[in-house]
């Protein structure tokens, strides 16, 4: 008998609640498996092909809307039906953060100093801090999810929020356990670590590749990434990859008190954990023990057999880690102490200026190609005109360059003894090399800008690239090269045009599938990716606009404060009047300075930017992109202070000001620096002055520290 479907089946995916979506996906998985069996094994289909396709289509569109609910047994993930179009996206339930970099001993002193300052009880220099030291493996990070002890999925880091589903490929890595060993593992545990290739395997792979005329990899990291991101898992299986664990993400229960204990356990469950490690006890600000580990690993670096680019230091106690939390995308409790960048000597063949999306002009040295630390380098940034003048870098000079990790190589110094006799100092252009507009440099600024705005094609193209990039709209298939081609051919001029590509396809020009290098599949893949991008968290939307000075962290602040696109835009428009409440509110957001506010308001005031915002939000450009709530909102439960604005003033006694602020933010509050009519709570400690006074004048709720702690207490129990 044909199975029936439940009532919510025909609700559009956008309107489904998460609960219903979960139930329906489960039902669809069973239903499709049932029809697969009838069709393939019993040759007795109950439904038509069209009905079957409709079920799969429905499954896909719900998964697109709720990627976090994709089931391990989902029909879309069946191995063999491997997505030729690329990897599926997976939303990380706990974001995958990255690490702040340190280069000098003093940076480490500062890091520890910050920790001692942040946690009140550590302000006593006699209290020791145990720091776990590990090598920083140069691979790519991966999250492996185990349920009931079995490996159910694996994802790359991606942009930290959404990664790629590489389950089938990770299953082929020899030292990844398919099932956890021993006992005591949480029912759900996501082990995180690094996928890498040993130096010997890397060299052997490159020899093989060369022998068959295939692509040779620049370094072990690229080789590991290239091997893991293979659409055909059997290719990954033929590559010698390894996995080493250095942490974890979601866990259904806590299983350790310290990082070291956790990694010992993870090791017992069958993983290789990052070694050689050491726990160093830090008293006061004495970083001697950490330097000892750093020197030791640097000495042993070439004998380890795998590539590392520094060490990682982590506060060992998990209780402290939790309280230290993270700032922007990096934890306060860990830091990467990188080895000095590798250097080489080469010749500057030319100096050319690039124009960025904000019009900023960056001079770039074109070098005689040279290998630095295994990577072929052809260009180095020269930053700005002051930097060129200070180092007196000229065309024809022999220079020392350095390269640290993925950072753009830099010119360290020029070697004047080897300078050609006819050389002349470099003259910075007065006109934009792309559009010919005037170049200006404001007083007190190091950077020069092209004044061409939208008539400068370089700026337009760079803005489009930024819009589609990984941390912004993240549109697969719309990389730099394609944007350039689409722009050149007049297909896209503004971000709005991206969303109408599909409806306009084949109208002015031949359809995309007929373009050179394109086909039916790649064109479809691009249109699908654009459709998926219509749903985007507010913070990424704001970041994508490419407002000067508004990076990811600021975009998050704005999204968190204003919470919807319409509200943010409305407030920015009202803020054009600098005496308005809206303007005061914007400037009162902690982390938004007056100059930044000016840049935001200048952006919003521009008619062409308004047209883009209109186009993106109205139906004018086809179906409008939907701006979903930012991720932190989705995660934050409704707490008594959710969405409330809080101001701390005076001295706090139970914790540092920074800790109180982060704690409030973690519960969904906005912490402001100044009191205004919009403030909900003012927490006043001893010594509070004018802010408390103003709060009382305005009739706001003023709390003592104790009352505040009671208000939020339940959330931390
Ligand atoms: S801990 C919150 N430990 O380095 C991030 N990361 O530059 C916790 N990495 O994305 C990461 N070796 O992929 C940690 N021993 C180690 C590591 C390590 C390599 C990678 C990791 C991270 C990147 C940050």
């Amino acid at each position: 008998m044909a199975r029936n479907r439940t009532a919510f089946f025909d609700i559009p995916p956008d309107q489904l609640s998460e609960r219903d979506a979960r139930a329906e996906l489960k039902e669809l998985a069973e239903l499709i498996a049932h029809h697969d069996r009838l069709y393939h094994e019993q040759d007795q289909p109950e439904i038509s092909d069209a009905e079957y396709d409709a079920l799969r289509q429905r499954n896909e569109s719900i998964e697109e809307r709720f990627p976090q609910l994709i089931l391990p047994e989902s029909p879309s993930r069946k191995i063999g039906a491997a997505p030729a179009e690329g990897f599926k996206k997976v939303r990380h339930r706990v974001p995958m953060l990255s690490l702040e970099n340190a280069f000098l001993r003093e940076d480490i002193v500062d890091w520890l100093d910050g920790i001692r300052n942040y946690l009140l009880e550590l302000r006593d220099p006699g209290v020791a801090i145990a720091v776990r030291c590990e090598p920083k493996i140069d691979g790519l990070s991966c999250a492996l999810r185990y349920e009931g002890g079995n490996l159910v999925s694996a994802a790359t880091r991606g942009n930290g929020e959404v990664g790629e589903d590489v389950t089938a490929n990770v299953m082929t890595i020899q030292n990844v356990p398919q099932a956890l060993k021993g006992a005591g593992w949480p029912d759900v545990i996501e082990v995180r670590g690094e996928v890498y290739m040993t130096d010997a395997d890397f060299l052997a792979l490159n020899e093989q590749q060369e022998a068959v005329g295939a692509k040779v990899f620049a370094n072990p990291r690229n080789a590991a990434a290239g091997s893991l991101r293979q659409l055909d898992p059997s290719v990954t299986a033929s590559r010698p990859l390894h996995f080493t664990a250095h942490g974890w993400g979601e866990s259904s229960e806590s299983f350790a008190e310290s990082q070291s204990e956790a990694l010992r356990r993870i090791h017992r469950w069958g993983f290789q954990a990052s070694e050689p490690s050491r726990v160093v006890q830090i008293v006061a600000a004495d970083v001697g023990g950490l330097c000892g580990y750093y020197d030791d690993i640097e000495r042993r670096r070439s004998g380890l057999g795998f590539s590392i680019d520094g060490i990682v230091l982590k506060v060992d106690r998990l209780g402290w880690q939790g309280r230290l939390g993270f700032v922007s995308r990096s934890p306060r409790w860990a830091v990467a102490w990188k080895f000095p960048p590798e250097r080489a000597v080469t010749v500057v063949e030319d100096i050319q200026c690039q124009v960025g999306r904000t019009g900023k002009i960056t001079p770039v040295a074109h070098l005689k190609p040279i290998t630095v630390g295994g990577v072929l380098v052809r260009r180095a940034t020269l930053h700005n005109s002051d930097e060129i003048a200070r180092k007196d870098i000229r065309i024809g000079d022999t220079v020392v360059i350095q390269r640290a990790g993925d950072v753009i190589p830099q010119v360290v110094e020029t070697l004047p003894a080897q300078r050609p006799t006819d050389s002349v100092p470099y003259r910075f252009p007065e006109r934009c090399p792309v559009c010919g507009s005037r170049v200006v440099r404001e007083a007190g600024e190091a950077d020069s800008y092209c004044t061409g705005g939208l008539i400068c094609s370089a700026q337009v193209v760079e803005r489009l690239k930024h819009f589609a990039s990984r941390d912004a709209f993240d549109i697969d298939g719309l990389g730099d090269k394609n944007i350039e081609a689409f722009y050149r051919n007049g297909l896209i001029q503004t971000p709005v045009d991206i969303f109408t590509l599909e409806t306009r396809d084949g109208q002015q020009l031949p359809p995309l599938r007929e373009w050179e290098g394109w086909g039916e599949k790649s064109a479809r893949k691009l249109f699908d990716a654009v459709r998926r991008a219509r749903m985007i968290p507010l913070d990424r939307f704001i970041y994508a606009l490419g407002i000067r000075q508004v990076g990811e962290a600021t975009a998050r602040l704005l999204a968190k404060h204003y919470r919807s696109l319409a509200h943010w835009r409305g407030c920015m428009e009202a803020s054009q009047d600098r005496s308005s409440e809206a303007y005061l509110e914007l400037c009162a957001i902690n982390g938004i300075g007056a100059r930044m506010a000016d840049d935001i308001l200048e952006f919003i005031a521009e008619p062409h930017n308004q047209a883009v915002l209109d186009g993106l939000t109205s139906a004018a450009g086809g179906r409008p992109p939907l701006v979903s709530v930012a991720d932190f909102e989705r995660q934050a439960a409704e707490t008594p202070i959710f969405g409330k604005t809080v101001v701390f003033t005076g001295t706090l006694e139970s914790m540092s000001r920074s800790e109180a602020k982060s704690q409030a933010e973690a519960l969904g509050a906005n912490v402001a620096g100044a009191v205004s009519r919009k403030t909900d709570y003012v927490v006043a400690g001893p010594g509070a002055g004018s802010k408390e006074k103003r709060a009382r004048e305005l009739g706001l709720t003023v709390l003592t520290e104790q009352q505040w702690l009671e208000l939020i207490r339940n959330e931390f129990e």
Side-chain angles (χ1 to χ4, degrees), residues 95-101 132-142 157 192-195 221 244-248 259 263 273-275 307-314 326 329-336 338:
M96 288 182 83
L97 304 173
S98 56
L99 294 169
E100 194 67 50
N101 286 334
R132 180 182 161 92
C133 313
E134 296 169 7
K136 186 172 186 303
I137 300 162
D138 205 6
L140 68 152
S141 44
C142 228
R157 177 175 184 278
R192 292 181 175 177
E194 218 66 9
V195 170
R221 190 160 92 110
T244 195
H246 52 57
W248 61 100
Q259 182 86 22
L263 284 171
S274 33
E275 291 296 343
S307 270
I308 63 171
D309 58 351
I311 61 169
V312 181
L313 306 178
K314 303 172 183 177
F326 51 90
R329 294 243 182 141
S330 314
R332 284 192 191 85
W333 48 265
V335 67
K338 305 286 280 277

Side-chain angles (χ1 to χ4, degrees), residues 13 21 70 82 118 135 140 192 210 227 252 255 286 302 398 460 482 516 568 588 594 596 603 671:
I70 298 177
Y118 191 89
L140 68 152
R192 292 181 175 177
E210 218 170 338
S227 302
S252 53
F255 56 94
D286 180 7
S302 58
T398 299
V460 175
N482 287 339
E516 203 184 318
W568 173 63
M596 199 185 268
F603 179 95
V671 178

Side-chain angles (χ1 to χ4, degrees), residues 207-276:
E207 268 177 28
Q208 261 178 36
Q209 295 282 101
E210 218 170 338
V212 296
K215 181 182 158 184
V216 173
F217 296 101
N219 53 37
R221 190 160 92 110
N222 290 355
S227 302
L228 187 67
R229 298 186 70 260
Q230 287 286 337
L231 290 176
D232 177 357
S234 66
V235 177
T236 308
S238 72
R239 303 276 173 83
L241 293 175
H242 297 266
F243 177 81
T244 195
H246 52 57
W248 61 100
E250 194 185 4
S251 165
S252 53
E253 60 191 273
S254 56
F255 56 94
E257 300 270 311
S258 70
Q259 182 86 22
S260 308
E261 188 196 348
L263 284 171
R264 264 196 305 277
R265 284 182 183 255
I266 289 176
H267 177 64
R268 270 188 243 129
W269 301 337
F271 290 93
Q272 171 185 312
S274 33
E275 291 296 343

